[in-house]
Amino acid sequence: MKRSVLLLAIMMVSAVGFSQSTLKGPKAKNATAAERAANASPLKFKIEPLELKGPAAKNEKVWKREDVQTETVFVRREQPLKGPKAKNKKVWED
């Protein structure tokens, strides 16, 4: 019984501690670019396109592919628009 209560207490404390790490409110609005990029996830993609076509490309194993140069791009996810800005958004101006 003591172990389960202790485990539950540790889980609750860790959940509260980790939930405080994200920027919200005025801190997020006034954050620098470096602070916003701290949570960005890198995307990797191959610079050279795959030369195979059709079923051969589909059935090729990734681990057997030759090493090609990859590039890492950081993406920041924008918050969805709300209110009049969302209503008046022009889809063709992304």
Side-chain angles (χ1 to χ4, degrees):
M1 181 72 179
K2 290 181 183 179
R3 287 184 183 174
S4 61
V5 171
L6 181 63
L7 181 64
L8 184 63
I10 290 173
M11 288 175 56
M12 290 176 61
V13 168
S14 64
V16 169
F18 285 116
S19 66
Q20 300 296 323
S21 63
T22 58
L23 289 174
K24 294 179 183 172
K27 287 184 181 179
K29 179 182 175 186
N30 298 326
T32 63
E35 291 171 340
R36 284 190 217 128
N39 296 330
S41 58
L43 293 177
K44 291 186 178 181
F45 61 94
K46 302 208 180 282
I47 295 174
E48 299 172 9
L50 188 61
E51 296 173 359
L52 295 173
K53 303 277 184 200
K58 178 183 174 187
N59 296 327
E60 183 189 17
K61 305 298 180 199
V62 177
W63 54 88
K64 292 184 180 178
R65 192 179 297 173
E66 297 175 6
D67 290 335
V68 295
Q69 182 182 3
T70 59
E71 188 171 321
T72 303
V73 177
F74 288 94
V75 175
R76 189 179 73 195
R77 292 173 180 83
E78 298 289 333
Q79 296 293 330
L81 296 175
K82 295 180 181 177
K85 290 183 180 179
K87 179 182 173 189
N88 299 326
K89 180 184 175 192
K90 296 177 177 66
V91 186
W92 58 89
E93 293 179 356
D94 281 336

